[in-house]
Structure formats: structure tokens, C-alpha cells
């Protein structure tokens, strides 16, 4: 329905603007906090360890790597967002609605994750000097200080929604062909970051098989980590 697609375009636009403001040091000075890049590196390394079982499985490795680099990692998503902003009206005409919805959820996840990172960096700044090494205990202290368990749960839910959207796109006729045909025009137009994101996601989930089981394992694992962190568990990242 046109109204549905119009609403989706407006939602994409709002989320893009929010994420761009959150990442802009002129709008959000906490981007300059010394703790921020150190925190993001530490979280990326923690996720790599948590995803070790997925990464050892050849069938699950591409999807796990895609999550670590493109969905829930410490990659700079600003170029991808800029690409989307430039071609949003054209995307609305060409891409199927479920894929647009998946992009909207991916941007929402990136924005929420960065907002939490800013709060965490601020909490770390208040707890200790920037020279101290970040470890699980200090991370947990900052995590509890930031709080917002319902939003943390929403962050985890968005991970599964993005993955589920990409898996669903595989079942839609013509999506793979559309991505292949758009490769050269997208790169020629300077939209390589967006094209690469879509292609990597599509290819990762094509190799996966049972996407639902994979996503449920991630959601369950990250939910347990969240619950342990809020409960003050001395080993919040230990395997279940």
C-alpha cells in the first residue's frame, strides 16, 4: 500500500537523522570522550568471544561475521547511512518493503547501540580515569549505572529482527537478482557501503540454513548476559 511505504520512508528518514546526530561530535560532544573508542573496541572483542561457537561452524560463520561487522559491532555506519539518505526515494520504488523495513531496523539498532555507548563512556568517565584498563567488572559497574533494562532488551530484540528480515528477504523472488544487477550502478554512484551491506547480509543468510534457530541462540545468549550484568553476577559473560 502506498501509505504504508510512505510511512516506512518517513520512519527511515527519522532514524537516519537521529543516528547521524548521535554520531556527530558537534551535536553530541560525548563522541569526544576518551573512553568511547576503548569501550567500543572492548565490546567488539567481547562479542567475538561470545560468538566463538558460531564462528567455528562453517555454515554459521558468514552470518555470525556479518553480525559482528555490520549489525552489532563497532563499525562506523555513517557512510552506509549517508548512502541511504541520498537514494531513499529511489530505494522506496525499487526495494521490496520487507527489505526497507530491515534497513529501518538496522539503523534503529545502530542508533540505540551508539546511544548506549555514549552513556557507557560517560559512566566510565565518572567512575575511573581513562588510563585504567577496562575489564568485565568495570564494564558491569558502568552497565548498571546506565541502566534502562527495557531498552537493553529492545536492543537485543532488534538484533533478531534485523537478522529475521534478511532471512525473509531470501525467500522473496528476484531479490538476489536485484542486488546483483545493482552492484555496478551502486558503486559507480558512490553507494558502495550500502550495496556491500545488503550483499553481505544476503550472502551470509543464504549459507545459513535454519536462520530462526541461529537468531534464537543469539537472542538467548545476549539476554542471559544482560540479566547477569544487571544482577551483579561475577562472571556475566561465562558460557551458559
Amino acid at each position: 500500500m502506498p501509505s504504508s511505504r510512505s510511512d516506512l520512508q518517513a520512519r527511515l528518514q527519522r532514524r537516519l537523522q537521529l543516528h547521524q546526530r548521535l554520531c556527530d561530535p558537534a551535536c553530541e560532544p560525548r563522541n569526544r570522550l576518551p573512553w568511547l573508542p576503548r569501550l567500543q573496541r572492548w565490546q567488539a572483542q567481547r562479542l567475538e568471544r561470545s560468538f566463538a561457537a558460531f564462528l567455528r561452524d562453517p555454515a554459521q560463520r558468514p552470518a555470525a561475521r556479518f553480525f559482528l561487522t555490520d549489525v552489532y559491532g563497532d563499525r562506523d555506519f555513517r557512510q552506509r547511512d549517508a548512502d541511504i539518505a541520498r537514494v531513499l526515494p529511489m530505494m522506496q520504488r525499487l526495494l521490496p518493503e520487507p527489505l526497507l523495513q530491515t534497513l529501518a531496523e538496522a539503523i534503529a539498532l545502530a542508533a540505540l547501540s551508539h546511544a548506549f555507548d555514549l552513556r557507557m563512556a560517560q559512566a566510565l568517565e565518572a567512575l575511573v580515569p581513562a588510563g585504567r584498563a577496562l575489564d568485565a567488572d568495570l564494564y558491569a559497574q558502568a552497565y548498571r549505572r546506565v541502566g534502562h533494562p527495557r531498552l537493553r532488551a529492545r536492543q537485543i530484540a532488534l538484533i533478531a529482527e534485523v537478522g529475521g528480515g534478511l532471512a525473509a528477504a531470501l525467500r522473496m523472488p528476484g531479490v538476489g537478482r536485484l542486488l546483483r544487477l545493482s552492484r555496478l550502478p551502486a558503486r559507480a554512484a558512490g553507494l558502495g557501503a550500502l550495496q556491500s551491506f545488503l550483499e553481505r547480509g544476503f550472502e551470509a543468510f543464504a549459507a545459513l540454513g535454519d536462520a530462526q534457530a541461529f537468531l534464537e541462540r543469539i537472542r538467548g545468549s545476549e539476554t542471559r548476559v544482560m540479566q547477569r550484568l544487571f544482577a551483579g553476577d561475577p562472571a556475566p559473560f561465562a558460557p551458559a
Side-chain angles (χ1 to χ4, degrees):
M1 293 172 57
S3 61
S4 173
R5 292 183 75 87
S6 177
D7 292 345
L8 182 51
Q9 182 177 356
R11 193 181 322 136
L12 262 166
Q13 189 67 51
R14 288 194 302 271
R15 290 178 178 181
L16 281 167
Q17 290 170 350
L18 172 62
H19 191 216
Q20 288 167 339
R21 286 197 304 271
L22 281 169
C23 294
D24 184 353
C27 299
E28 177 47 82
R30 286 178 294 182
N31 281 291
R32 299 190 183 95
L33 288 173
W35 268 114
L36 183 62
R38 297 176 61 210
L39 166 72
Q40 291 172 329
R41 285 194 299 271
W42 191 92
Q43 289 180 145
Q45 292 163 2
R46 193 282 291 178
L47 283 167
E48 185 98 14
R49 292 191 296 272
S50 294
F51 276 46
F54 299 124
L55 294 168
R56 286 193 297 267
D57 183 335
Q60 297 183 102
R61 187 182 301 128
R65 184 59 61 193
F66 177 73
F67 270 88
L68 289 171
T69 58
D70 288 83
V71 176
Y72 199 39
D74 64 344
R75 172 170 290 198
D76 187 340
F77 296 112
R78 284 176 292 182
Q79 185 57 57
R80 181 200 67 186
D81 288 1
D83 287 356
I84 295 171
R86 284 173 55 197
V87 295
L88 194 51
M90 182 176 67
M91 286 171 61
Q92 188 189 15
R93 293 193 303 272
L94 296 179
L95 292 183
E97 192 167 327
L99 202 50
L100 288 172
Q101 179 64 43
T102 298
L103 279 174
E105 301 300 357
I107 295 163
L109 174 60
L112 182 56
S113 297
H114 194 70
F116 270 127
D117 287 352
L118 293 173
R119 286 174 175 258
M120 286 284 290
Q122 186 176 24
L124 288 165
E125 192 84 8
L127 283 167
V128 294
R132 175 178 160 179
L134 183 56
D135 55 24
D137 180 62
L138 180 55
Y139 182 88
Q141 289 182 56
Y143 192 98
R144 287 190 292 274
R145 177 174 284 214
V146 169
H148 295 292
R150 290 179 64 181
L151 280 177
R152 285 290 189 184
R154 177 59 181 153
Q155 183 185 28
I156 295 167
L158 280 168
I159 299 169
E161 288 174 23
V162 172
L166 288 167
L170 285 173
R171 300 190 292 271
M172 301 183 67
V175 171
R177 183 171 179 272
L178 175 64
L179 287 176
R180 287 192 298 274
L181 289 174
S182 65
R183 183 178 299 160
L184 289 177
R187 289 175 181 167
L191 303 174
L194 173 59
Q195 178 71 18
S196 182
F197 170 80
L198 291 172
E199 282 190 22
R200 281 195 300 271
F202 194 84
E203 290 167 4
F205 278 85
L208 184 57
D210 189 352
Q212 193 58 41
F214 171 79
L215 294 168
E216 283 303 315
R217 283 183 65 192
I218 290 178
R219 185 169 186 165
S221 174
E222 289 301 296
T223 298
R224 284 190 294 274
V225 167
M226 175 192 71
Q227 291 169 343
R228 288 170 170 177
L229 284 165
F230 279 125
D233 190 309
F237 305 113

